[in-house]
Amino acid sequence: MELLPQEYGDYLHLSQLHPYTQHLEYRGENWYWIVCALNKEAVQTILYQTLFQLESITIKKKSQKIEIVQRNFSEITYQELMNHFYESDSSPYIQLHFMTPTAFKQKGRYLFYPDIRCIFQSLMNKYDSAVRDEIMVDEDTLEQLYESSQIIRYDLKSVSFELEGIKIPAFIGKITIKMYGTKTMTNFANMLFEFGEYSGVGIKTALGMGCIKKLNDRGRK
C-alpha cells in the first residue's frame, strides 16, 4: 500500500471492497507472490506502475530483503468469463479448494465454515466492486443460488489467520457443491467460482485470506 500513489492508496483505504487480492503459494522449493488486479485501473496502477517496477521487497518485521527473480503475467477478460457462462455445459458438481484461511463476517461475528449463502453473496459483491458498470447483486438470484445448491462432501480444517496481534478464526480445505437448479443457474455458479479464483472469497482477501481454486473432477487444478 505504501508503494502506491497516495491518491489511489487513500481510495483503497476507504473502500470496503478492494479491486485486488494477494496471497502466497509455496510450489516445489519456491515461493510465489500472487497478486490479482480485478479491473483496468488496478492492473495499470498496482501491477504495471508499481509492482512490475520492483527489484526486491522488504519484510520489515524480520528486516528481511526478498529478491524478485521472475515476473509472470496472465489476463482474462470479463467477456471471456461471461462467454463461458453462456456457452459452457458446466458440471453440477463443483469442487473447491480453500487454499488460504477463509472466513466471513455476519452480524459482527466471524463465520469460519463454508456457508453457501455467504460464499455466493461474497462473490457477487466482489464482482460488482470490480465491474463498476454492471450490477450482479440481486436478492432473487442469490436466493435461487442458495436454494439450488448443497454441500455434499467436505474435508476441512479450522485454522487462524494472524493479523496485527489478532487471531481471526478461519478454515482451509476442500468442499464439493452439487447444483440442483437449471442449467443456467449451474453455469452461473461455475462462472462465479471461476471469477472467485481471482477475487478470492470472504474477508481480508487483500491481505491473503480467501484464496480458492476450482478443481476438476479428479480433484486437481
Side-chain angles (χ1 to χ4, degrees):
M1 291 291 286
E2 66 187 38
L3 295 171
L4 296 174
Q6 184 174 347
E7 184 177 348
Y8 190 69
D10 291 343
Y11 159 72
L12 293 182
H13 274 301
L14 295 173
S15 174
Q16 291 186 339
L17 294 171
H18 294 148
Y20 73 95
T21 65
Q22 63 176 322
H23 69 277
L24 294 174
E25 290 186 18
Y26 189 66
R27 306 173 192 165
E29 297 181 351
N30 298 308
W31 279 101
Y32 292 82
W33 181 20
I34 314 297
V35 181
C36 297
L38 303 178
N39 57 35
K40 290 181 179 179
E41 184 181 22
V43 169
Q44 188 65 33
T45 307
I46 297 174
L47 298 184
Y48 287 138
Q49 294 180 11
T50 306
L51 297 185
F52 282 9
Q53 308 305 317
L54 296 180
E55 297 298 328
S56 64
I57 57 174
T58 300
I59 301 177
K60 292 184 177 180
K61 288 187 178 181
K62 296 185 178 294
S63 299
Q64 187 175 5
K65 186 177 180 180
I66 306 296
E67 301 293 335
I68 298 174
V69 297
Q70 187 178 0
R71 298 173 182 82
N72 293 315
F73 177 77
S74 63
E75 188 173 30
I76 183 171
T77 66
Y78 288 105
Q79 190 59 51
E80 287 175 303
L81 276 176
M82 294 306 294
N83 288 345
H84 195 192
F85 162 55
Y86 287 114
E87 299 170 2
S88 66
D89 186 14
S90 301
S91 170
Y93 295 94
I94 304 171
Q95 292 182 300
L96 298 176
H97 187 184
F98 297 88
M99 303 279 290
T100 64
T102 304
F104 307 91
K105 207 161 189 182
Q106 195 175 57
K107 297 180 180 179
R109 296 183 177 182
Y110 291 115
L111 196 69
F112 54 101
Y113 57 87
D115 180 273
I116 290 183
R117 198 177 199 283
C118 287
I119 290 173
F120 283 127
Q121 186 174 37
S122 173
L123 292 173
M124 293 169 76
N125 280 331
K126 290 178 186 298
Y127 186 94
D128 284 353
S129 176
V131 188
R132 298 174 184 172
D133 56 346
E134 295 183 28
I135 301 297
M136 180 181 287
V137 174
D138 175 86
E139 274 301 318
D140 291 338
T141 304
L142 177 59
E143 200 60 33
Q144 286 184 57
L145 285 168
Y146 174 64
E147 295 292 339
S148 302
S149 57
Q150 181 182 359
I151 296 175
I152 60 171
R153 188 177 298 113
Y154 63 86
D155 180 12
L156 300 170
K157 177 183 178 182
S158 62
V159 295
S160 60
F161 185 86
E162 294 194 25
L163 180 64
E164 297 177 352
I166 299 174
K167 290 186 177 181
I168 299 174
F171 66 91
I172 57 173
K174 300 176 183 178
I175 65 171
T176 300
I177 296 173
K178 183 176 181 182
M179 298 299 300
Y180 293 93
T182 63
K183 176 184 174 183
T184 299
M185 196 57 62
T186 297
N187 285 355
F188 183 55
N190 274 274
M191 187 274 288
L192 276 177
F193 288 121
E194 288 179 20
F195 171 73
E197 293 190 303
Y198 302 94
S199 71
V201 65
I203 62 173
K204 311 293 185 186
T205 52
L207 297 175
M209 294 185 70
C211 171
I212 62 171
K213 300 292 184 184
K214 186 169 173 281
L215 306 176
N216 63 22
D217 291 337
R218 295 182 181 178
R220 290 182 293 181
K221 183 84 174 83

